[in-house]
Amino acid sequence: MTSDPTPPGPALLDAAANAVPIRCVTADGWAAVEVGLPPLQRRFAAATGFAPKAGRVALLPGEDGGLGLVVLGLGEAGQGHRDRFLAGKLPGALPAGDYRLEPCDALDAGEAALAWLLGSYRFDRYRKPGEPRPRLVAPEGVDAAAVGRVARAVAAGRDLINTPANDLGPAEVEAAMRALGERFGAAVTVTMGADLEKEFPLVHAVGAASPRAPRLIDLTWGAQDAPRVTLVGKGVVFDTGGLDIKPASNMLLMKKDMGGAAAALAAAEMIMGAGLPVRLRLIVPSVENAIAGDAFRPGDVIRSRAGLTIEIGNTDAEGRLILADALALADAEEPDLILDFATLTGAARVALGPDLPAFFTEDEALAGAVAEAGVRVNDPVWRLPLHPPYASLLDSKVADLNNAPGGGFAGAITAALFLRRFVRRTRAHVHFDLYGWNPSTKPGRPEGGEVQTARLAHALVAERYRRNG
């Protein structure tokens, strides 16, 4: 186990001699701030009609004609919901240069610094790099190294989701995990080919039609005698729906169907980077759900790694199949905690929208800890029930389970109940059903791929094992 050598990526400055100050103001505090401004800045703010509504930014001149002060509006104090990542709007609103946040009671400095770095993200792989970006001096008292670790992990996960499927197949997911393992001295093993068909038959079946070979990638890190934490991520690099083919419009974002794997990788990077005292395992089944003569079919019956037989009700419900085999592997060693991440159901998005992932667990204390961690780090989730009577909806007349029961009721719940059948020994299991995408740009959350629940998972593990990262 080695320490993180800190690869290039989002980071805070240690210091900058001529950093431009950023002052945060609420609507009721603006009058006092305005009176205290130098006359030039006061007149400029008035001439431009600045009002400190939430997210409004004023660029005020200095006496030398350069930029002298940035004012960030926070809106009405105590009224309505204030976006805790509001400072994440600044990187897109400011010219290149160095900046520093003035102390502000209305914003948490560490959260504002993280929001800045998250809002600085750009996916430039396929275009010329843009203009230099503004940089922020680490606010006093903020652990710049910890904030930078989290931001770099988020950026790496976003890059994976944003990369189109022609450049990100199962082999590239494997390469990303191997690179992560090399950085931290973790062991990585890969199961493919005949071994995959024998040991993980559901993973093999889902990926068999693609010329890009399916595989199961398994990373382990940490002391053997430490508490065992296992992360499992759905790694479907592209989902056509298989023979139950999706409409063309529904395929446009299917490069993000490996968003669960990206979230799991990001969470693993944060955990290892913080040196948390756990035995970490990261399992990613990675496939392309394609169409060819050897594609699995509706009505097929496939025996899973756990021994349960699965009738294929719909080939577009493939994510739960590959997760079933991966969860059976994870559960076999009875870890202290299993967290699985997947862009699994449209039903969860209908219920909660794109910004609020659903989560499921039978452990009441763990459910409370998950929800609290999400609130604490501004990575929110909402619990949906593992309603036992709905388990009968998974019944099959020819096999132990059907992967896609008809009727359309409770789709997110039945998917979670399906997965739960493959975690028999480990009670502390949480399933996250996430969207993995920002449909529009918000402060700290640029439009595009998003590793929802990764920061939550890191915070949960850090709190559970009593070391902050």
Side-chain angles (χ1 to χ4, degrees):
M1 184 171 66
T2 62
S3 60
D4 182 1
T6 310
L12 300 171
L13 297 175
D14 292 331
N18 298 310
V20 176
I22 300 171
R23 188 171 301 167
C24 303
V25 296
T26 58
D28 56 351
W30 171 236
V33 171
E34 187 178 22
V35 167
L37 293 175
L40 176 63
Q41 293 182 353
R42 188 167 61 248
R43 290 195 301 270
F44 193 91
T48 56
F50 175 73
K53 296 179 180 179
R56 288 283 298 274
V57 177
L59 307 182
L60 304 182
E63 293 297 332
D64 61 356
L67 182 56
L69 176 69
V70 174
V71 180
L72 173 64
L74 301 179
E76 298 286 343
Q79 292 188 12
H81 168 73
R82 176 184 295 155
D83 190 334
R84 288 164 53 186
F85 277 174
L86 203 57
K89 184 174 183 177
L90 291 168
L94 301 179
D98 298 336
Y99 298 85
R100 59 177 176 83
L101 280 169
E102 293 184 345
C104 176
D105 292 339
L107 286 183
D108 177 270
E111 202 163 70
L114 176 61
W116 176 289
L117 295 183
L118 297 182
S120 299
Y121 173 83
R122 300 290 184 275
F123 184 63
D124 290 333
R125 178 169 176 173
Y126 299 98
R127 57 188 178 187
K128 293 180 180 178
E131 296 295 321
R133 297 165 195 167
R135 304 183 299 177
L136 182 69
V137 175
E140 186 176 353
V142 169
D143 186 339
V147 172
R149 283 198 304 268
V150 171
R152 285 191 296 274
V154 170
R158 288 172 172 174
D159 280 350
L160 288 172
I161 300 174
N162 286 325
T163 301
N166 60 308
D167 283 334
L168 187 80
E172 287 74 26
V173 174
E174 176 188 335
M177 285 185 63
R178 288 193 181 278
L180 185 64
E182 288 175 6
R183 277 177 53 198
F184 294 100
V188 178
T189 60
V190 179
T191 305
M192 296 175 62
D195 289 339
L196 185 75
E197 184 174 12
K198 178 181 178 181
E199 297 177 30
F200 304 98
L202 293 174
V203 180
H204 174 269
V206 172
S210 174
R212 300 191 288 183
R215 64 204 69 201
L216 185 130
I217 314 150
D218 191 350
L219 177 151
T220 54
W221 171 90
Q224 287 279 2
D225 58 351
R228 295 180 179 270
V229 173
T230 300
L231 312 179
V232 179
K234 173 188 169 185
V236 179
V237 297
F238 193 83
D239 182 19
T240 65
L243 292 175
D244 287 305
I245 191 169
K246 294 177 182 289
S249 60
N250 288 6
M251 285 193 221
L252 291 176
L253 281 183
M254 280 302 100
K255 68 178 183 179
K256 78 171 184 66
D257 211 21
M258 41 62 64
L265 263 74
E269 181 173 348
M270 295 176 204
I271 289 167
M272 292 188 290
L276 298 184
V278 297
R279 175 68 169 176
L280 180 69
R281 190 175 192 186
L282 171 61
I283 301 172
V284 172
S286 189
V287 304
E288 179 177 22
N289 188 18
I291 299 173
D294 49 358
F296 73 125
R297 298 164 288 261
D300 283 357
V301 176
I302 306 171
R303 186 173 299 276
S304 68
R305 177 182 177 86
L308 294 172
T309 53
I310 314 299
E311 180 187 12
I312 305 304
N314 193 307
T315 62
D316 196 19
E318 84 299 330
R320 67 199 67 183
L321 296 175
I322 67 172
L323 286 173
D325 272 356
L327 286 169
L329 174 67
D331 186 53
E333 65 175 11
E334 300 183 54
D336 185 66
L337 176 67
I338 295 176
L339 306 176
D340 81 71
F341 309 79
T343 52
L344 206 62
T345 69
R349 246 52 62 210
V350 170
L352 300 176
D355 297 345
L356 194 61
F359 80 96
F360 301 81
T361 184
E362 293 176 332
D363 187 319
E364 295 298 324
L366 181 56
V370 168
E372 187 277 332
V375 170
R376 178 157 44 90
V377 299
N378 199 25
D379 195 6
V381 291
W382 196 264
R383 188 185 185 189
L384 293 182
L386 280 163
H387 187 52
Y390 287 169
S392 63
L393 296 174
L394 297 167
D395 289 348
S396 165
K397 294 181 180 179
V398 299
D400 294 320
L401 292 167
N402 188 302
N403 79 317
F409 290 127
I413 297 173
T414 55
L417 287 167
F418 181 92
L419 296 180
R420 187 60 190 160
R421 292 290 299 272
F422 298 88
V423 184
R424 300 170 175 175
R425 300 175 176 88
T426 309
R427 178 172 176 79
H429 167 223
V430 182
H431 162 57
F432 293 105
D433 190 337
L434 55 100
Y435 189 54
W437 192 263
N438 296 318
S440 60
T441 294
K442 298 178 182 177
R445 290 147 293 188
E447 180 179 346
E450 188 59 272
V451 289
Q452 293 168 316
T453 71
R455 292 184 296 105
L456 180 161
H458 167 234
L460 176 72
V461 172
E463 177 65 24
R464 191 176 177 93
Y465 301 103
R466 303 187 186 282
R467 183 185 298 175
N468 292 322

